[in-house]
Amino acid sequence: MSFYDQLKFDANGLIPAIVQEQKTGRVLMMAWMNRASLQKTLDTGKTHFWSRSRQKFWMKGESSGHVQVIKDIAFDCDGDTLLVQVEQTGAACHEGYQSCFFRSVQASISDPSFRITEERLESPEQIYGKK
Amino acid sequence: MSFYDQLKFDANGLIPAIVQEQKTGRVLMMAWMNRASLQKTLDTGKTHFWSRSRQKFWMKGESSGHVQVIKDIAFDCDGDTLLVQVEQTGAACHEGYQSCFFRSVQASISDPSFRITEERLESPEQIYGKK
């Protein structure tokens, strides 16, 4: 049975893909795939997504060189989320952090502020050049 | 600054929450929170979600006892995804697996089938009783 038959794309034809660095277990980012970008991902061995804001395909690292090489693609019990294990080149986050999840909620519940939890590896200018 | 100001809930008032077991790094599941369920999560220290299919709140473990105790809540650069680190009691998946991501795509690209990648810990009947 094809695993595509197990998947449920949403009303816009999209499925969320969690990207995890296989070596460290660090969750790097979450982005959306449609069926074509998932096929492209399988076909090339590098992550491809669908940008909801720009309404276009994008390959992770196409501008930055920070590509993600596929190690494993899992899907959940409901078939509506993907978990993609990768080997990440450079920082995953466009803001220069290893992970997009570089901020955490502080302990205070009444006024939950946040803190930055990791060091920035590069500035966006270093990654993408000045704009 | 409150971290709520950093978050972008979607048109339905929801934000996806990736749940990761802090101890092992295993990604356990993905579910949806609205602001009230996120507040409830912060308030109680246990994960609470919003069920899109049932249109109601649910606490992870309310039937199964397989609760998730909050260790950390991070959010991504775009503010549209949460990463929740937890201490998981029992199997996270309602199908009795440790993780909902218990199936992975096989290597073949032309006909991507899948395999089960972990052992089932309990049957759904053991978790929820016979229905």
Side-chain angles (χ1 to χ4, degrees):
Chain A
M1 183 190 287
S2 168
F3 91 106
Y4 288 114
D5 301 331
Q6 303 289 321
L7 299 185
K8 290 179 205 144
F9 294 88
D10 72 10
N12 297 311
L14 300 174
I15 189 166
I18 302 163
V19 181
Q20 184 175 31
E21 188 175 52
Q22 191 181 49
K23 189 176 62 175
T24 61
R26 183 83 173 115
V27 175
L28 300 175
M29 53 181 278
M30 201 278 273
W32 296 80
M33 292 186 179
N34 56 17
R35 182 164 171 149
S37 65
L38 178 54
Q39 285 176 325
K40 190 88 174 161
T41 297
L42 282 166
D43 199 31
T44 61
K46 293 179 182 163
T47 52
H48 288 71
F49 303 98
W50 177 257
S51 169
R52 296 177 301 169
S53 56
R54 292 178 290 148
Q55 289 286 303
K56 59 176 285 206
F57 288 102
W58 62 287
M59 186 188 90
K60 177 65 191 171
E62 65 190 357
S63 311
S64 62
H66 293 176
V67 296
Q68 296 171 333
V69 174
I70 301 296
K71 295 296 178 178
D72 187 80
I73 300 178
F75 53 100
D76 72 351
C77 48
D78 296 328
D80 61 8
T81 308
L82 300 173
L83 174 61
V84 183
Q85 303 282 345
V86 301
E87 183 183 305
Q88 171 73 52
T89 299
C93 182
H94 74 289
E95 294 198 23
Y97 296 89
Q98 176 64 11
S99 165
C100 295
F101 297 95
F102 60 86
R103 294 171 297 182
S104 284
V105 179
Q106 297 279 27
S108 165
I109 289 162
S110 57
D111 178 24
S113 57
F114 63 92
R115 67 186 192 284
I116 291 176
T117 56
E118 58 181 88
E119 278 187 48
R120 193 172 227 167
L121 302 177
E122 294 181 78
S123 70
E125 290 74 22
Q126 284 173 306
I127 300 173
Y128 300 101
K130 287 193 179 167
K131 285 178 183 172
Chain B
M1 186 190 284
S2 168
F3 91 107
Y4 288 115
D5 300 330
Q6 302 289 320
L7 299 184
K8 290 177 204 145
F9 295 89
D10 72 9
N12 297 311
L14 300 174
I15 190 167
I18 302 163
V19 182
Q20 183 175 32
E21 188 175 53
Q22 190 180 49
K23 189 176 63 178
T24 62
R26 183 84 172 115
V27 175
L28 300 174
M29 54 181 277
M30 202 278 274
W32 295 80
M33 291 185 178
N34 55 18
R35 181 163 171 148
S37 64
L38 177 54
Q39 285 176 325
K40 190 89 174 162
T41 296
L42 282 166
D43 198 32
T44 62
K46 292 179 182 164
T47 52
H48 289 71
F49 302 100
W50 177 257
S51 169
R52 296 175 302 169
S53 56
R54 292 178 289 149
Q55 288 286 302
K56 59 178 284 207
F57 287 102
W58 61 288
M59 186 189 89
K60 176 66 192 170
E62 65 190 359
S63 310
S64 62
H66 294 176
V67 296
Q68 296 171 333
V69 174
I70 301 297
K71 295 296 179 180
D72 187 78
I73 299 178
F75 53 100
D76 73 351
C77 49
D78 296 327
D80 61 8
T81 307
L82 300 172
L83 174 61
V84 183
Q85 304 282 346
V86 302
E87 183 184 306
Q88 172 72 53
T89 299
C93 182
H94 73 291
E95 295 197 21
Y97 295 89
Q98 176 63 11
S99 165
C100 294
F101 297 95
F102 60 85
R103 295 171 296 182
S104 284
V105 179
Q106 296 279 29
S108 165
I109 289 163
S110 57
D111 179 23
S113 57
F114 62 92
R115 67 187 193 283
I116 291 176
T117 56
E118 56 181 88
E119 279 187 46
R120 194 171 227 168
L121 302 177
E122 296 182 76
S123 69
E125 291 73 22
Q126 285 173 305
I127 301 174
Y128 301 102
K130 287 193 180 166
K131 286 180 182 171

